[in-house]
């Protein structure tokens, strides 16, 4: 009898171990990281459609969107740490609740404006240095089949043409640098009023400046507007995987040069 009980007990213990491991992995994922696929081109060329990354949910502390099982207050944030200007952040849209990813430009109390496509931050122009062009093929991208917007006439030429955008290196106060792209001259978000970021809120912009519905646009017209601190989910630190195709299973479309690439 005893000899039979041992194998059965061993199986039960193995099952328990697997269940505990899955529970721990689920809690770890819920508390610390959230997977995120890039669905649109608003953050090119920092992030491309088909990039897969994990969002660091502990970068700024717990919010109501990162606390499981109602462990945190409905509003506000526990263990809050101020985000840094220039961080690439995933947040919940204040109206729709959809997940967005943009770059943090304006902190509480800042004034933000764009003139001819250049950011004026607290009255001072943010430097932009020309850095050549960003080039891609004019073709449908990702599972949703979006066509890229181009500064040149690729759309008129058709599928398979070279689609280019002017690239600039933008340097924020403190010295953080990142690439931004330009598509339009005098685009919808190139010249704005002066925005004053309220206390407890943030101002975000996409790096693909003429292809981003961000804080330059009011929530009434589909924009992001000012984002409350409690809506921040976490910081994007590193691209884990990237696929240029409509499915991640199309291995011939994988972008091997983007695996484990740091998000700058």
């Amino acid at each position: 009898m005893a000899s039979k009980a041992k194998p059965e007990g061993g199986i039960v213990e193995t099952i328990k171990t697997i269940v505990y491991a899955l529970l721990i992995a689920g809690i770890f994922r819920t508390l610390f990281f959230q997977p995120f696929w890039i669905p649109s081109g608003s953050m090119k060329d920092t992030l491309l459609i088909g990039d897969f990354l994990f969002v660091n949910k502990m970068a700024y502390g717990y919010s109501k969107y990162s606390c499981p099982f109602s462990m945190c207050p409905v509003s506000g944030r526990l263990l809050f740490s101020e985000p840094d200007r220039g961080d690439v952040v995933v947040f919940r849209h204040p109206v729709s609740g959809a997940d967005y990813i943009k770059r943090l430009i304006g902190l509480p109390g800042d004034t933000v404006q764009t003139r001819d496509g250049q950011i004026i931050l607290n009255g001072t122009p943010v430097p932009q240095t020309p850095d050549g062009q960003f080039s891609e093929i004019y073709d449908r991208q990702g599972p949703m089949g979006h066509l890229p917007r181009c500064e040149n006439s690729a759309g008129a030429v058709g599928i398979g043409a070279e689609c280019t955008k002017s690239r600039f290196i933008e340097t924020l106060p403190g010295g953080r640098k990142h690439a931004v792209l330009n598509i339009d001259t005098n685009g919808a978000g190139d010249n704005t009023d002066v925005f004053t970021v309220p206390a407890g809120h943030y101002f975000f912009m996409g790096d693909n400046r003429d292809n981003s519905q961000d804080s330059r646009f009011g929530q009434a017209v589909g924009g992001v507007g000012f984002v409350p601190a409690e809506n921040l989910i976490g910081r994007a630190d590193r691209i884990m995987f990237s696929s240029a195709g409509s499915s991640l299973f199309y291995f011939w479309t994988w972008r091997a040069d983007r695996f484990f690439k740091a998000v700058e």
Side-chain angles (χ1 to χ4, degrees):
M1 296 293 290
S3 61
K4 291 183 179 180
K6 287 181 180 179
E8 291 175 0
I11 293 172
V12 171
E13 290 302 317
T14 300
I15 293 173
K16 285 182 179 179
T17 300
I18 293 172
V19 171
Y20 291 150
L22 291 174
L23 285 173
I24 292 170
I27 292 171
F28 186 82
R29 181 265 187 201
T30 303
L31 287 175
F32 302 113
F33 296 98
Q34 175 174 315
F36 191 85
W37 282 98
I38 303 301
S40 72
S42 69
M43 282 294 292
K44 290 179 180 177
D45 62 343
T46 302
L47 299 172
L48 304 180
I49 295 175
D51 283 349
F52 175 78
L53 47 86
F54 281 102
V55 178
N56 181 356
K57 298 172 73 171
M58 290 298 292
Y60 313 127
Y62 288 124
S63 75
K64 67 178 181 179
Y65 295 113
S66 61
C67 286
F69 318 121
S70 302
M71 290 171 61
C72 290
V74 173
S75 62
R77 176 177 284 271
L78 295 179
L79 306 176
F80 183 81
S81 175
E82 183 76 38
D84 291 326
R85 195 192 316 277
D87 284 356
V88 176
V89 180
V90 173
F91 58 88
R92 291 285 172 86
H93 190 285
V95 177
S96 70
D99 289 353
Y100 275 56
I101 186 165
K102 307 287 182 187
R103 190 176 298 277
L104 176 56
I105 299 296
L107 301 175
D110 283 346
T111 61
V112 185
Q113 183 184 25
T114 55
R115 297 182 200 154
D116 298 324
Q118 184 177 28
I119 296 173
I120 311 298
L121 186 61
N122 296 321
T124 302
V126 174
Q128 289 184 348
T129 305
D131 190 47
Q133 290 186 324
F134 170 72
S135 177
E136 58 187 336
I137 300 300
Y138 186 76
D139 203 349
R140 298 196 177 277
Q141 300 177 349
M144 300 180 69
H146 292 302
L147 286 168
R149 295 187 59 214
C150 316
E151 189 177 22
N152 64 351
S153 58
V157 175
I159 300 297
E162 183 183 24
C163 173
T164 61
K165 305 168 183 60
S166 296
R167 189 174 189 266
F168 299 85
I169 299 299
E170 190 169 76
T171 305
L172 294 171
R176 292 187 68 170
K177 299 177 184 290
H178 58 272
V180 297
L181 303 181
N182 179 75
I183 300 171
D184 301 322
T185 300
N186 197 28
D190 283 351
N191 294 280
T192 70
D193 296 331
V194 177
F195 301 98
T196 301
V197 185
H201 290 71
Y202 297 93
F203 191 99
F204 289 92
M205 294 176 67
D207 290 348
N208 192 2
R209 291 288 159 79
D210 294 315
N211 194 43
S212 177
Q213 285 288 100
D214 47 43
S215 294
R216 292 170 293 173
F217 303 97
Q219 295 164 2
V221 295
V224 168
F226 300 122
V227 178
E230 65 191 59
N231 284 51
L232 306 188
I233 295 175
R235 185 182 63 221
D237 291 329
R238 189 170 297 275
I239 299 163
M240 305 304 294
F241 174 85
S242 186
S243 173
S246 59
S247 170
L248 64 88
F249 297 108
Y250 297 165
F251 64 87
W252 56 90
T253 67
W254 292 355
R255 305 181 181 108
D257 61 327
R258 297 185 68 79
F259 287 20
F260 309 110
K261 178 180 173 65
V263 177
E264 298 177 352

